[in-house]
Amino acid sequence: MEGGGLRAVGSHCSLSEMDDLDLTRALDKPRLKIERKRSFDERSMSELSTGYSRHDGIHDSPRGRSVLDTPLSSARNSFEPHPMMAEAWEALRRSMVFFRGQPVGTLAAVDNTTDEVLNYDQVFVRDFVPSALAFLMNGEPDIVKHFLLKTLQLQGWEKRVDRFKLGEGVMPASFKVLHDPIRETDNIVADFGESAIGRVAPVDSGFWWIILLRAYTKSTGDLTLSETPECQKGMKLILSLCLAEGFDTFPTLLCADGCSMIDRRMGVYGYPIEIQALFFMALRSALSMLKPDGDGRECIERIVKRLHALSFHMRNYFWLDHQNLNDIYRFKTEEYSHTAVNKFNVMPDSIPEWVFDFMPLRGGYFVGNVGPAHMDFRWFALGNCVSILSSLATPDQSMAIMDLLEHRWAELVGEMPLKICYPCLEGHEWRIVTGCDPKNTRWSYHNGGSWPVLLWQLTAACIKTGRPQIARRAVDLIESRLHRDCWPEYYDGKLGRYVGKQARKYQTWSIAGYLVAKMLLEDPSHIGMISLEEDKLMKPVIKRSASWPQL
């Protein structure tokens, strides 16, 4: 996370010059208290595709603040909370950003040990997600609501990079609040990719926004926000960018390098697992909130069809276990027919040596990328964890991912959770793939670095699969180092033993990720806001031919 200065988008307008009344009107609406019914998660998408009922089961569980700002998660438990919790909450509150007196997000980092700010003084959409979840779990939803509304306003801005206009549905990567103490005014400027490394638009921002909107709705029971015409339009605009028909022959999304958490060149262009998993989760989240009136009905129908195709594609072609690896190793190439076994023409000689020793007899994972004559065998933590949370992974696949984590704990977790990817790129491969990136050297940053923020996703996945002991083991590692090291952004080294060479201290999502993980373990019922149960009827209705090895 770094880059040049931030400027207003092509229209050169700021939020101070915009009419806030339409969207902020939703802030004054009373919350609805609704009766608990059968949830979307308990019903099938086939049912939804015909009935289009969507609001069942949004939990009515608004929580108030506890006395003297004591985190509610700690107050509800009889055992003594870890001393790190109090400091983490203090640090998280110090990072809060205000716009016209209202909290609208958290800074990426509040590192007073350096004068080099770069863009860490901004509110990033993806970075705010763990902060938002922490506030929701602690009964403080207002900051999340304000954030959702402000970023929705930014989506409506005209977005240009040089002379090219971006799609209407693109969400910002980040925004910054500028305070004018003389005029006593606040302005917001946003970055839609024109200031980012490589000038790449953030594909994941829109997905995270939809996922967070569902989390807010599930946590508070407040349907008024997601039902507003503005939120309904915002979801449709995001999804229209992804569901448009074109030259694609796969249901997966074609993406450029640097369009997600891995925001630098790391060889993830094509169909990266992180984007596909977030895409799947955003589609399912939107399906539970979209209203079936007007063009909403058509959007719902397109979502249902895409979900069926995407789940089939990912579960079959991206999944790798011992048997599939052996099958790929024995592939024939240059097959031309509908009965081809090696459908993507993957060359067996392209299988890296490390994966044969890495793959246990029990366990498996979704590979990093699959495309024409290309399979990226690297493990990516975020994509696999989100696959579990969204139920993109089947129950058996989810358990296999957990088995792999236990079998390969030293490689994937080491001394500091969690490796963003494994293994690292080095030598000639590093020079070619990263372009000799001095920040992504071996076992550093996005090239095999260890990121504490991934703890919350790991913990959520562990709870969903009934393996909380794995999460507790990871939390113990975090509590032995993170506070002492001043909450760094990432760690370097094969075991994650060293604070990253360019890591910021007091990185907000490292702090928030720890808080979310702790609150999930203390009160596993929180998992409902960030987890989707498997749709029993999402399995393909047609049997596969001999076009890919059977699972």
Side-chain angles (χ1 to χ4, degrees), residues 487-507:
W487 310 93
E489 179 183 12
Y490 64 95
Y491 285 77
D492 286 352
K494 199 167 185 178
L495 297 176
R497 184 174 294 171
Y498 305 97
V499 173
K501 58 185 175 182
Q502 295 186 42
R504 291 298 163 124
K505 301 293 183 70
Y506 294 98
Q507 185 80 14

Side-chain angles (χ1 to χ4, degrees), residues 270-287:
Y271 306 92
I273 179 60
E274 175 178 338
I275 291 298
Q276 314 314 320
L278 288 172
F279 179 36
F280 184 86
M281 191 166 190
L283 287 174
R284 291 200 65 192
S285 298
L287 193 60

Side-chain angles (χ1 to χ4, degrees), residues 3 39 45 115 133 145 184 241 307 316 348 390 400 403 411 415 442 522 525:
S39 70
M45 280 185 297
D115 295 329
L133 295 176
K145 190 170 190 176
E184 296 183 347
L241 295 173
L307 281 170
N316 289 275
S390 65
D403 289 339
E411 292 90 344
E415 297 180 12
R442 62 194 299 267
E522 291 173 9
S525 68

Side-chain angles (χ1 to χ4, degrees), residues 184-240:
E184 296 183 347
T185 59
D186 290 344
N187 294 302
I188 285 183
V189 291
D191 176 20
F192 292 89
E194 73 270 30
S195 299
I197 298 294
R199 303 302 185 263
V200 179
V203 176
D204 63 336
S205 286
F207 299 153
W208 279 123
W209 187 89
I210 293 175
I211 293 166
L212 186 56
L213 178 62
R214 176 187 175 273
Y216 170 86
T217 308
K218 293 282 285 186
S219 174
T220 64
D222 178 11
L223 299 176
T224 59
L225 182 60
S226 63
E227 285 188 328
T228 60
E230 293 82 7
C231 282
Q232 292 287 309
K233 180 182 177 181
M235 285 189 283
K236 293 171 189 173
L237 286 175
I238 293 169
L239 297 177
S240 67

Side-chain angles (χ1 to χ4, degrees), residues 385 389 418 454-465 467-468 470-472 474-475 513-514 516-521 527 530:
C385 287
L389 295 176
L418 181 65
L454 296 173
L455 177 69
W456 80 262
Q457 292 157 347
L458 171 64
T459 301
C462 290
I463 291 173
K464 183 174 181 181
T465 54
R467 311 275 278 272
I470 299 178
R472 292 192 185 98
V475 168
Y514 167 72
V516 172
K518 289 288 286 187
M519 286 189 283
L520 281 170
L521 287 171
I527 193 70
I530 50 174

Side-chain angles (χ1 to χ4, degrees), residues 23-159:
L23 286 179
T24 55
R25 201 174 288 144
L27 295 174
D28 299 325
K29 294 182 180 180
R31 289 182 192 155
L32 295 178
K33 292 188 176 182
I34 65 174
E35 182 181 354
R36 175 71 171 103
K37 299 180 182 178
R38 201 159 64 115
S39 70
F40 162 73
D41 302 338
E42 296 162 352
R43 294 159 33 195
S44 73
M45 280 185 297
S46 299
E47 198 176 338
L48 277 167
S49 65
T50 56
Y52 302 109
S53 176
R54 76 213 182 282
H55 293 311
D56 302 319
I58 301 296
H59 291 285
D60 179 23
S61 57
R63 302 183 180 94
R65 289 292 306 280
S66 58
V67 180
L68 300 177
D69 284 344
T70 302
L72 293 180
S73 60
S74 298
R76 284 194 298 267
N77 289 274
S78 58
F79 58 85
E80 191 71 23
H82 194 281
M84 277 176 61
M85 290 285 286
E87 180 173 332
W89 274 110
E90 290 177 8
L92 181 60
R93 297 193 192 284
R94 284 196 301 269
S95 71
M96 292 173 64
V97 175
F98 292 82
F99 179 76
R100 298 180 184 173
Q102 293 179 334
V104 293
T106 52
L107 297 175
V110 186
D111 187 355
N112 296 321
T113 65
T114 178
D115 295 329
E116 192 177 19
V117 176
L118 296 176
N119 59 358
Y120 287 83
D121 61 346
Q122 298 169 26
V123 179
F124 280 79
V125 172
R126 74 175 67 96
D127 291 39
F128 180 67
V129 171
S131 297
L133 295 176
F135 285 121
L136 288 174
M137 292 178 186
N138 198 47
E140 302 177 58
D142 286 348
I143 185 174
V144 182
K145 190 170 190 176
H146 296 148
F147 169 85
L148 289 167
L149 289 170
K150 292 307 175 193
T151 47
L152 188 59
Q153 287 180 320
L154 295 174
Q155 183 194 40
W157 287 14
E158 185 182 57
K159 302 168 277 283

